[in-house]
Amino acid sequence: MQISSKQPNIGTTIFTVMSQLAAETGALNLSQGFPNFNCSPKLIELVNHHMKKGMNQYAPMAGIMPLREAIAQKTADLYQLNYHPNDEITIASGCTEVLYAIMTAIIHKGDEVIVFEPAYDSYVPSIELNGGKAVYVTLSPENNFAIDWNLVKSKITDKTKAIILTTPHNPTGKCFTQNNINSLAAITKNTGIFIISDEVYEHIIFDGRKHWSPSMHPELKERTFVCGSFGKTFHTTGWKLGYCLAPKELTAEFRKAHQWITFSCPTPFQYAFADFLKEPDNYLSVTQFYQEKRDKFNNWLKPSRFDWIPAEGSFFQMVSYKKITDEPDYDLAIKWTKEIGVASIPISVFYSEKIDNKILRFCFAKDDEMLEKAAEKLCKL
Ligand code: PMP
Ligand code: GLN
């Protein structure tokens, strides 16, 4: 049987490749972004409770109302932003589905989407599978991945349908500032360009930084899809639940796509999150929790020959290995998984042209014992 591939140049995602290799070789897995510790027992109790209560059938297509209300409340409390639970908030199967459903909803054949690279790996395939074209703005470690807004402006054409951004950013750990948001507003003023804002690490942001979303700019809010996920905030990446915040007209089109992609998401988990969100400390405490992890990991790495700038947010730390070797990052990530016993993600995979800046990404959403052990091995290099 022959199948004509719609993604002829795409292999298996790097996260699967590296996690599989780590499992096969018994390496410490600091590659794929997921915690190796459990979520709150309270959250597990809540899921059990709702399952036992019989909440086991289809949820409404847009998500259960108490969860949409809880998200509306949290967004209003934290950012003074109003999204109506009825028609501006939708629960989806993780941020991955949110992103895919947005692309499906907005892209017409030949439309362009501006993507900052390094870019999270699902963005470009989601654009291309929906008939769009990615237009790249390449960020570089030489200027600490700063965005040149004149360059972004120069990429805008009459085909530009959207700009996708990530804050806090995976893999660089960089966070948008208010100035960035203002620049984005200025260069897209009086255009109908949509902003797709991936904010899955919204609460994992360090050193007193404030999370800045394009939705906080009144003009941008009208054109912005905010993409969220409970996976990172609540240590539940395997539950695959996320959400989309967007003005009514955008949400209506989003839901038309979402209803054919998954229809609805697991019911008892939604009820559990609805209850859990009522206690703000459950999501606010994650900031300090991960800042401590970042600091511990960075401290344990201090005697090493790596160079790095501490992550501003996310649970990833990038390090440059230029002082150790000039081997290609992909080969090195494989080699060190096998020979040193620490798995990482090579950054070149997040660039369209596979630019190799000799940088690896380590995930520090791991227990202290694993982080210390990994750092000990890395310090010997
Ligand atoms: N966006 C970014 C930046 C991510 O790092 C991830 C990985 N968790 C996702 C989206 C996908 O999130 P989810 O697991 O909720 O699908
Ligand atoms: N977001 C996670 C990471 O960046 C992994 C998600 C996935 O495996 N698809 O590592």
Side-chain angles (χ1 to χ4, degrees):
M1 196 53 197
Q2 289 283 316
I3 179 159
S4 159
S5 178
K6 291 178 78 175
Q7 304 182 81
N9 302 318
I10 302 274
T12 304
T13 129
I14 188 71
F15 305 121
T16 301
V17 170
M18 293 309 301
S19 275
Q20 221 161 29
L21 187 64
E24 280 162 22
T25 57
L28 301 170
N29 189 2
L30 271 57
S31 64
Q32 191 179 19
F34 66 89
N36 75 331
F37 40 83
N38 211 347
C39 63
S40 156
K42 174 89 184 126
L43 201 43
I44 293 172
E45 268 170 37
L46 285 167
V47 175
N48 278 326
H49 167 76
H50 289 293
M51 279 182 168
K52 284 180 189 153
K53 237 172 87 181
M55 301 304 189
N56 298 306
Q57 309 310 326
Y58 288 130
M61 183 269 275
I64 63 154
M65 192 46 93
L67 181 54
R68 287 188 269 153
E69 283 167 352
I71 294 168
Q73 190 63 52
K74 159 168 137 30
T75 311
D77 290 348
L78 290 182
Y79 311 124
Q80 293 75 52
L81 291 173
N82 292 318
Y83 285 94
H84 203 287
N86 247 347
D87 46 19
E88 296 186 315
I89 300 178
T90 311
I91 310 302
S93 298
C95 183
T96 310
E97 196 234 328
V98 173
L99 291 161
Y100 198 87
I102 294 168
M103 302 304 177
T104 305
I106 66 171
I107 293 176
H108 291 254
K109 200 168 168 24
D111 282 349
E112 295 175 354
V113 180
I114 295 179
V115 177
F116 298 99
E117 58 174 4
Y120 182 62
D121 74 340
S122 85
Y123 296 168
V124 175
S126 302
I127 295 164
E128 292 179 347
L129 279 169
N130 283 294
K133 180 173 172 257
V135 172
Y136 295 97
V137 172
T138 303
L139 308 180
S140 140
E142 267 80 68
N143 56 353
N144 194 18
F145 301 95
I147 297 172
D148 173 351
W149 290 98
N150 284 325
L151 179 63
V152 183
K153 192 175 175 187
S154 75
K155 304 273 177 170
I156 294 177
T157 72
D158 56 5
K159 292 200 180 125
T160 307
K161 181 52 64 85
I163 298 176
I164 180 163
L165 58 94
T166 325
T167 186
H169 189 265
N170 175 11
T172 66
K174 292 273 293 183
C175 297
F176 262 57
T177 59
Q178 188 174 21
N179 277 344
N180 290 145
I181 303 293
N182 289 339
S183 302
L184 180 65
I187 64 161
T188 61
K189 198 173 170 67
N190 298 327
T191 69
I193 296 175
F194 294 116
I195 310 299
I196 304 167
S197 187
D198 179 341
E199 303 178 15
V200 300
Y201 300 101
E202 147 193 23
H203 299 296
I204 310 181
I205 183 159
F206 308 132
D207 307 315
R209 281 187 183 79
K210 177 178 174 345
H211 172 63
W212 283 103
S213 162
S215 59
M216 295 168 192
H217 190 288
E219 278 170 34
L220 291 178
K221 183 172 187 272
E222 296 311 305
R223 294 186 267 122
T224 296
F225 292 91
V226 175
C227 315
S229 175
F230 297 119
K232 316 290 160 176
T233 307
F234 297 121
H235 318 314
T236 53
T237 60
W239 294 6
K240 293 298 298 183
L241 269 187
Y243 55 90
C244 177
L245 310 179
K248 193 171 156 180
E249 296 75 14
L250 279 60
T251 291
E253 287 303 313
F254 175 86
R255 287 184 184 172
K256 286 186 200 171
H258 164 72
Q259 68 185 338
W260 307 134
I261 298 173
T262 43
F263 178 61
S264 69
C265 303
T267 309
F269 296 96
Q270 293 192 53
Y271 277 103
F273 280 131
D275 293 345
F276 206 60
L277 277 171
K278 284 191 191 124
E279 178 45 69
D281 193 51
N282 287 334
Y283 49 85
L284 295 178
S285 59
V286 79
T287 309
Q288 196 191 340
F289 174 81
Y290 274 122
Q291 179 160 327
E292 282 172 15
K293 290 235 171 267
R294 180 203 62 173
D295 291 345
K296 277 185 195 163
F297 185 55
N298 283 0
N299 250 331
W300 285 322
L301 271 189
K302 262 202 185 126
S304 76
R305 290 197 286 157
F306 292 108
D307 285 314
W308 70 91
I309 296 170
E312 296 173 1
S314 84
F315 48 44
F316 303 112
Q317 180 62 58
M318 292 200 314
V319 300
S320 160
Y321 60 80
K322 270 191 189 147
K323 285 192 189 141
I324 302 173
T325 172
D326 62 359
E327 288 167 77
D329 65 350
Y330 191 94
D331 299 351
L332 194 65
I334 303 269
K335 179 170 141 183
W336 281 354
T337 304
K338 291 181 179 163
E339 294 179 7
I340 309 297
V342 181
S344 60
I345 297 288
I347 296 303
S348 62
V349 301
F350 300 118
Y351 282 104
S352 53
E353 300 295 333
K354 308 297 165 226
I355 300 171
D356 178 9
N357 288 311
K358 314 292 173 199
I359 296 175
L360 297 174
R361 186 198 85 175
F362 293 110
C363 171
F364 54 80
K366 309 293 167 185
D367 59 43
D368 290 357
E369 194 192 336
M370 184 185 274
L371 291 176
E372 192 171 11
K373 260 196 207 154
E376 209 178 287
K377 287 170 185 279
L378 295 168
C379 285
K380 290 191 185 132
L381 291 161

